[in-house]
Amino acid sequence: MSNDNASANNNQNPAAKLWGGRFSEATDAFVERFTASVMFDQRMALEDIQGSLAHAQMLSEVGVLTADEFTQIEGGLKDIAEEIKAGEFPWSVELEDVHMNIESRLTQRIGATGKKLHTGRSRNDQVATDIRLWLRNRIDLIAAELTRLQTGLVDLAEQEADTIMPGFTHLQSAQPVTFGHHLLAWNEMLTRDYERLMDCRKRVNRSPLGAAALAGTSYPINRARTAELLGFDAPTENSLDSVSDRDFAIEFCAFGALLLTHLSRASEELVLWTSSQFNFIDLPDRFCTGSSIMPQKKNPDVPELVRGKTGRMNGHLIALLTLMKSQPLAYNKDNQEDKEPLFDAADTALDCLRAFADMAPALKPKKENMLAAAAKGFSTATDLADYLVRKGVAFRDAHEIVGQSVAFAIEKDCDLADLSLAELQKFSDAIGDDVFEVLTLEGSVAARDHIGGTAPNQVRAACGRARKLIASR
Ligand code: ARG
């Protein structure tokens, strides 16, 4: 291929590089490998072709290319796209990156006209365009997967609107809540992640094409046209900024870090809940693996792995922030290092969401265990205090009375609801026989009957609002 390329290049430079004109010796073999990016940036090949097609079409519309030249270039690029999809493209490290591999292949296939494609652009605006197109595609896939996960969570939350479980603070039983309410808490986190993703998308979706190397180009290009052809909202404003900043990729990783932070929290809860100590849910076997030595084991590998992937995502965010820090304008080769973290960040977000979206509808709560756990740990103590306040006792005094009742129950090794009326009345004569209604778990959750509260009818209403929000996307 390189021989063909040299002849198509019609160039006597020793390196046979597209940029080799001013060079008098070939690139050092190690340096060639060290500076190449084609091993990883070939993932953007189809976006590179998409960008080139728009650029060539615009050049023909403004008269820089003839209609016939455009037709040849278009045909050649489309054939190359097929070649790439079929896995038959001869990628070459000598040609450094995805851009020069494709451009050189075009010239090899269609002849001298191929050499006109790079008129009025640079790899600097080309790569910035490719990354944005690639990331936009990934963002759309990730958004769809987020929506699938949220739909599953809201459906399950509605089914489990009446299922009582302990709510925790400090991982100690605090007050009873419903499982549906807990699932909707996860859903809220994901709603904000979705909003962050869409916000990031707006800034990704601007066209740097036409910024050329750094200063723009002397050809009469139409940047609005290429932006339109590529589905970008508008061209970017400043050529120096366009070829250099990767803040949009950093933002995406920041989205990813928060998403994974949220998924890691849910993962941690799944890991706890599937343990025999909690025994709150059943995770179907297909999401678990066994142990090679302990036959009894069923490990929650999928949530554990998602939890672990958070580290990698945070690493990518820090890598890109550090990559960008202190870079002088405009393009620097440092930016070639943006791709692997960004690609992996997008892959990780998509994979973790997929795992969760598959898993969420399959979670089977063990309702009796949840209920039994909620009944332990004096989780209705606050309800007793609120009851006393309704009977005219000041909250601080009520707190003290309930504290004493709890201490008494601990001594008797029973729950508050197991104490007799006479025993309870020893602590306050404001207590009547209606007290047992508020000491039940059902009464406790039903009483939290306001927007954002855990009452089953509030959970059902919240599910309705969540569904509406998802449908409006
Ligand atoms: N492979 C390069 C990158 O990823 C493409 C841009 C190269 N531009 C340059 N002037 N060397 O950033």
Side-chain angles (χ1 to χ4, degrees):
M1 177 186 168
S2 48
N3 287 344
D4 288 359
N5 179 53
S7 58
N9 231 359
N10 199 15
N11 206 340
Q12 295 312 307
N13 76 71
K17 301 287 189 199
L18 296 188
W19 40 252
R22 60 102 73 215
F23 284 72
S24 56
E25 64 173 356
T27 317
D28 177 88
F30 168 71
V31 170
E32 190 163 79
R33 264 188 291 124
F34 185 66
T35 54
S37 56
V38 66
M39 304 77 87
F40 46 85
D41 67 14
Q42 59 179 268
R43 277 193 76 172
M44 309 187 301
L46 297 180
E47 288 80 7
D48 192 72
I49 288 176
Q50 191 187 356
S52 290
L53 284 168
H55 177 67
Q57 180 174 337
M58 178 277 292
L59 288 182
S60 75
E61 286 170 3
V62 300
V64 173
L65 291 178
T66 66
D68 176 56
E69 285 166 340
F70 171 57
T71 306
Q72 287 180 53
I73 289 174
E74 187 185 31
L77 287 172
K78 287 185 171 164
D79 289 344
I80 292 171
E82 291 314 311
E83 202 172 31
I84 291 166
K85 286 187 215 157
E88 284 160 6
F89 188 93
W91 297 107
S92 150
V93 172
E94 282 164 60
L95 289 166
E96 196 176 319
D97 57 25
V98 63
H99 323 293
M100 291 195 292
N101 266 267
I102 291 175
E103 189 194 328
S104 148
R105 185 74 176 153
L106 180 68
T107 300
Q108 201 180 54
R109 293 185 72 121
I110 70 169
T113 306
K115 293 197 262 184
K116 298 195 172 182
L117 171 62
H118 211 52
T119 312
R121 76 171 182 186
S122 148
R123 277 185 296 151
N124 297 349
D125 60 339
Q126 193 178 352
V127 69
T129 304
D130 293 2
I131 305 170
R132 285 168 184 267
L133 289 172
W134 187 90
L135 184 56
R136 189 180 67 188
N137 286 336
R138 290 283 132 174
I139 285 174
D140 292 346
L141 292 175
I142 290 166
E145 215 53 358
L146 247 172
T147 294
R148 186 165 75 92
L149 167 55
Q150 290 192 265
T151 305
L153 282 178
V154 174
D155 287 349
L156 188 61
E158 182 139 70
Q159 270 172 47
E160 306 299 338
D162 297 288
T163 306
I164 290 175
M165 68 179 284
F168 300 91
T169 61
H170 312 267
L171 202 58
Q172 313 278 326
S173 260
Q175 291 172 353
V177 296
T178 60
F179 185 42
H181 194 53
H182 194 113
L183 293 167
L184 287 183
W186 292 358
N187 182 60
E188 280 308 296
M189 302 179 204
L190 298 172
T191 295
R192 292 192 296 277
D193 290 330
Y194 187 91
E195 288 171 4
R196 266 185 285 275
L197 182 65
M198 289 302 114
D199 196 49
C200 168
R201 192 188 191 282
K202 285 185 227 155
R203 283 178 289 280
V204 169
N205 204 31
R206 298 283 299 270
S207 177
L209 199 57
L214 73 165
T217 175
S218 55
Y219 296 94
I221 58 167
N222 182 346
R223 293 194 60 210
R225 179 67 175 139
T226 42
E228 183 196 348
L229 287 169
L230 294 170
F232 285 121
D233 293 331
T236 51
E237 197 59 43
N238 178 289
S239 64
L240 295 167
D241 173 54
S242 305
V243 293
S244 63
D245 207 342
R246 299 291 184 261
D247 58 353
F248 61 90
I250 297 175
E251 269 189 65
F252 174 79
C253 288
F255 148 80
L258 276 168
L259 171 73
L260 265 286
T261 297
H262 290 150
L263 293 181
S264 79
R265 297 181 67 194
S267 296
E268 172 73 4
E269 293 183 327
L270 292 178
V271 171
L272 286 170
W273 294 347
T274 51
S275 70
S276 57
Q277 286 73 18
F278 274 82
N279 202 14
F280 278 6
I281 60 158
D282 187 52
L283 196 56
D285 286 359
R286 63 182 183 280
F287 300 109
C288 300
T289 65
S291 157
S292 55
I293 179 166
M294 296 169 283
Q296 84 283 12
K297 294 278 285 188
K298 173 174 157 183
N299 296 326
D301 289 49
V302 172
E304 288 176 276
L305 201 51
V306 171
R307 188 176 60 183
K309 298 254 184 210
T310 313
R312 149 199 302 254
M313 188 65 95
N314 292 349
H316 296 325
L317 172 61
I318 297 298
L320 291 191
L321 280 167
T322 312
L323 173 68
M324 206 64 240
K325 180 186 175 294
S326 311
Q327 270 196 51
L329 287 169
Y331 175 85
N332 302 285
K333 183 79 168 181
D334 311 40
N335 276 345
Q336 185 164 290
E337 284 287 305
D338 63 356
K339 285 165 209 65
E340 288 163 292
L342 179 64
F343 292 167
D344 191 72
D347 290 346
T348 302
L350 197 56
D351 286 352
C352 292
L353 282 170
R354 180 181 173 172
F356 253 82
D358 288 348
M359 210 162 48
L363 298 177
K364 295 271 172 292
K366 297 181 174 174
K367 299 186 190 191
E368 316 74 60
N369 296 351
M370 285 181 164
L371 189 67
K376 280 191 248 153
F378 309 102
S379 62
T380 56
T382 316
D383 298 270
L384 178 56
D386 292 342
Y387 167 89
L388 288 166
V389 169
R390 284 197 298 276
K391 300 277 175 176
V393 180
F395 183 78
R396 263 308 141 223
D397 294 332
H399 191 288
E400 178 66 21
I401 292 164
V402 178
Q404 287 166 0
S405 316
V406 167
F408 180 72
I410 290 173
E411 217 163 279
K412 269 198 80 181
D413 194 24
C414 69
D415 201 62
L416 283 178
D418 303 324
L419 297 176
S420 69
L421 182 59
E423 283 171 322
L424 284 166
Q425 281 174 335
K426 277 197 288 181
F427 301 101
S428 168
D429 52 16
I431 298 177
D433 58 4
D434 56 348
V435 71
F436 295 101
E437 288 158 37
V438 308
L439 293 180
T440 67
L441 298 170
E442 289 75 11
S444 173
V445 294
R448 282 151 176 83
D449 189 11
H450 50 75
I451 283 192
T454 196
N457 62 307
Q458 290 294 341
V459 170
R460 277 185 277 272
C463 287
R465 291 194 297 274
R467 275 217 189 82
K468 234 170 127 184
L469 193 64
I470 291 171
S472 72
R473 288 177 179 169

